[in-house]
Amino acid sequence: MPTDTSSDALPARAPLAPAPGEPVLDVVIPVYNEEKDLGPCVRRLHAHLTRTFPYPFRITIADNASTDRTPACAAELAAGIPGVHSVRLEEKGRGRALRTVWSRSEAPVLAYMDVDLSTDLNALLPLVAPLISGHSDLAIGTRLARSSRVVRGAKREFVSRAYNLLLRSSLAARFSDAQCGFKAIRREVAERLLPLVEDTGWFFDTEMLVLAERAGLRIHEVPVDWVDDPESTVHIVKTATEDLKGVWRVGRALALGALPLDRLARPFGDDPRDRTALPGVPRGLARQLLGFCAVGALSTLCYLALYSLFRLGTGPQAANAAALLVSAVANTAANRRLTFGVRGRARALRHQAQGLVVFAIGLALTSGSLAALGAATDDPAHGTELAVLITANLAATVLRFLLFRAWVFPERRTAPVPTKDDHR
C-alpha cells in the first residue's frame, strides 16, 4: 500500500464496490508466543466469517518475533485453510505488525483483533459494515458503552476507565475505548493516516484514533460483549508508562500544529444540500462565525482580566495596549487553528504579523475611545472605562473577522474541474 502524503484531500465517502474474487476485508491477528491459542482462534474466526460475512475475506497472522512454535503454527494454518496468510516480523510491537500488514494489504477494509478472541465475534459484521457502506472512516469496539457486557477484574476495569479519562482530559478525545483490541479502518484512510502515527507498540491504537478524530474523520463505535483473558501477557505498568509518554508526545505535536492533518480532510457526502451553497452566504461562513465568536468571547474575557491586572500598576492607555497585545497574539493563534482550520507551521509567522496589523487597528479604535472618554471627563470611573472598551472592542471584533477572513486567512480556491459542457 503506498504511503500517499500528498496535500490532496480524501475523496467524499462512498460505498465500496467489491472486485469479483478479491477480499473486501483483511483481519489481522498480531501474535507473540501464542502457539497454544493461535490455532483455535484462527479456525473459529474463519468459520464465523465463512458463515456470516457476505464478501470474500482474508485472515492474516502477523507474528511479532515469536520465539516458540508460533511461526510454525502460523505456516501450518496458512497452508491448510483457504484465505489464511501469515507474515513474520523480526521485531516486536503490535503497532509495527499492524502497520506492516495494513500497508501491504489491498483489501479496502482493514481490521484487527486480539488472538484470545475476548470480543464476541458477532460484533465483527457491525464493526465493518459502516466502513463498507461509506458511512464511517474507522470503527472501534467499546467495552464502556452502557449496552456492552464485560467480564473482567476490578483492577483492569479501573485501569481502562482511568486511561480513557486521561485521554479525554489531556487530548480532548471523544471516543470511549482506546484499548479494546477490536478495530477497523478503510484502506484509503490508512494510506494517509499511518505515516503520521509514530508508535509501534500498544499506544499505536490511541495515537491513530486521536489523530483521526482531530482531523475530523468519522469513528463508529460498536458496543461489544467482552470476557477478560486471565492469562494475558500484557504488562500493565510498563504499558501505562509507554502510554503516558505517547500522550505527552502527541499532545505536544497537536499543540504546536506539527502534524499535517489537513491531508485527512473529508468533503461532505452525497447529500445535495451539502454540495450547494446557501444563496448569499459564502461557503463555510456560518461555521467560521461560530468559531470566531467562541474564540472572541474567551479572548475578550482574557483581555478584560489582563486590563484590570495591568491597570493596577499603570495608566489606562498602557494597560489597554499591553492587554490587547497579549490577547491579540492568542486570538490570532486560536482563530488560525479553530476558526479557519489552518494547521502546521507554514506561514504561521506571517499570519501573526498580519494579526498584529489587525491588532493595531483595534488598538487605534480602543485607544481613541479612551482618549475621547478622557476628554469628556477628567476622572472616569473604572466601570465606565470598561463599558467604553467593550463597545469599542465590539466594533473592532467585527472588523477583525472581516480582515481575518478576507486578508489573513483567505479561502484557498481551487480551479473548477472541467466538464463536458466546457468543451462544447
Side-chain angles (χ1 to χ4, degrees), residues 340-358:
F340 298 97
V342 180
R343 294 181 171 87
R345 299 179 181 179
R347 300 165 63 91
L349 291 178
R350 177 177 177 177
H351 291 156
Q352 280 293 347
Q354 291 173 307
L356 290 177
V357 174
V358 177

Side-chain angles (χ1 to χ4, degrees), residues 291-306 327 330-331 334 338:
F292 184 81
C293 289
V295 171
L298 292 176
S299 62
T300 299
L301 293 175
C302 175
Y303 162 78
L304 293 175
L306 289 172
S327 59
N331 181 279
L338 302 176

Side-chain angles (χ1 to χ4, degrees), residues 75-225:
E76 292 172 2
L77 291 167
I81 304 178
V84 175
H85 296 251
S86 66
V87 176
R88 166 74 176 179
L89 287 84
E90 299 302 329
E91 295 181 88
K92 291 179 61 177
R94 181 177 69 174
R96 178 179 287 108
L98 293 176
R99 182 197 308 276
T100 300
V101 177
W102 283 354
S103 297
R104 297 174 182 174
S105 179
E106 295 299 327
V109 176
L110 311 167
Y112 94 89
M113 63 179 57
D114 292 335
V115 68
D116 54 19
L117 293 185
S118 296
T119 304
D120 182 9
L121 291 179
N122 287 324
L124 182 55
L125 185 55
L127 182 80
V128 301
L131 308 187
I132 296 174
S133 69
H135 175 270
S136 300
D137 300 297
L138 298 92
I140 65 173
T142 176
R143 301 161 295 184
L144 304 182
R146 290 183 179 273
S147 56
S148 299
R149 294 187 297 176
V150 177
V151 178
R152 61 176 167 181
K155 179 180 178 181
R156 287 186 176 272
E157 179 75 11
F158 172 79
V159 170
S160 180
R161 292 188 178 274
Y163 180 66
N164 284 282
L165 179 61
L166 171 66
L167 295 180
R168 288 176 177 269
S169 59
S170 61
L171 298 179
R174 295 189 298 274
F175 48 85
S176 64
D177 192 350
Q179 295 175 309
C180 182
F182 194 68
K183 296 181 175 69
I185 185 173
R186 284 179 64 118
R187 179 166 56 89
E188 77 271 15
V189 176
E191 288 177 349
R192 299 176 186 236
L193 180 56
L194 294 186
L196 304 180
V197 180
E198 294 185 18
D199 193 80
T200 59
W202 291 97
F203 188 69
F204 175 89
D205 300 46
T206 301
E207 186 172 357
M208 178 179 68
L209 291 174
V210 168
L211 298 187
E213 189 175 72
R214 286 298 184 94
L217 297 179
R218 184 173 293 162
I219 302 175
H220 179 72
E221 297 197 8
V222 178
V224 298
D225 297 341

Side-chain angles (χ1 to χ4, degrees), residues 150-407:
V150 177
V151 178
R152 61 176 167 181
K155 179 180 178 181
R156 287 186 176 272
E157 179 75 11
F158 172 79
V159 170
S160 180
R161 292 188 178 274
Y163 180 66
N164 284 282
L165 179 61
L166 171 66
L167 295 180
R168 288 176 177 269
S169 59
S170 61
L171 298 179
R174 295 189 298 274
F175 48 85
S176 64
D177 192 350
Q179 295 175 309
C180 182
F182 194 68
K183 296 181 175 69
I185 185 173
R186 284 179 64 118
R187 179 166 56 89
E188 77 271 15
V189 176
E191 288 177 349
R192 299 176 186 236
L193 180 56
L194 294 186
L196 304 180
V197 180
E198 294 185 18
D199 193 80
T200 59
W202 291 97
F203 188 69
F204 175 89
D205 300 46
T206 301
E207 186 172 357
M208 178 179 68
L209 291 174
V210 168
L211 298 187
E213 189 175 72
R214 286 298 184 94
L217 297 179
R218 184 173 293 162
I219 302 175
H220 179 72
E221 297 197 8
V222 178
V224 298
D225 297 341
W226 195 85
V227 179
D228 189 17
D229 178 13
E231 299 181 359
S232 174
T233 58
V234 178
H235 300 286
I236 295 180
V237 175
K238 180 180 179 182
T239 302
T241 302
E242 294 300 319
D243 286 347
L244 290 175
K245 293 179 181 178
V247 169
W248 167 257
R249 175 176 54 79
V250 172
R252 182 174 181 273
L254 291 173
L256 295 175
L259 297 171
L261 298 181
D262 56 324
R263 299 172 183 171
L264 301 171
R266 283 277 202 191
F268 284 108
D270 57 2
D271 190 331
R273 293 171 297 178
D274 294 332
R275 296 173 179 264
T276 305
L278 296 176
V281 179
R283 191 172 182 84
L285 178 60
R287 179 187 60 80
Q288 291 179 356
L289 277 172
L290 289 175
F292 184 81
C293 289
V295 171
L298 292 176
S299 62
T300 299
L301 293 175
C302 175
Y303 162 78
L304 293 175
L306 289 172
Y307 176 82
S308 299
L309 177 64
F310 294 153
R311 188 67 176 85
L312 297 176
T314 187
Q317 294 287 6
N320 172 61
L324 198 56
L325 176 61
V326 174
S327 59
V329 172
N331 181 279
T332 300
N335 275 306
R336 181 179 189 268
R337 174 75 178 272
L338 302 176
T339 304
F340 298 97
V342 180
R343 294 181 171 87
R345 299 179 181 179
R347 300 165 63 91
L349 291 178
R350 177 177 177 177
H351 291 156
Q352 280 293 347
Q354 291 173 307
L356 290 177
V357 174
V358 177
F359 150 76
I361 297 174
L363 178 62
L365 286 173
T366 53
S367 298
S369 300
L370 285 175
L373 178 63
T377 177
D378 293 333
D379 188 20
H382 182 65
T384 304
E385 284 184 355
L386 289 181
V388 169
L389 286 173
I390 290 173
T391 303
N393 266 286
L394 287 176
T397 297
V398 174
L399 182 59
R400 185 185 308 124
F401 176 75
L402 296 176
L403 289 174
F404 273 175
R405 181 176 172 85
W407 180 49

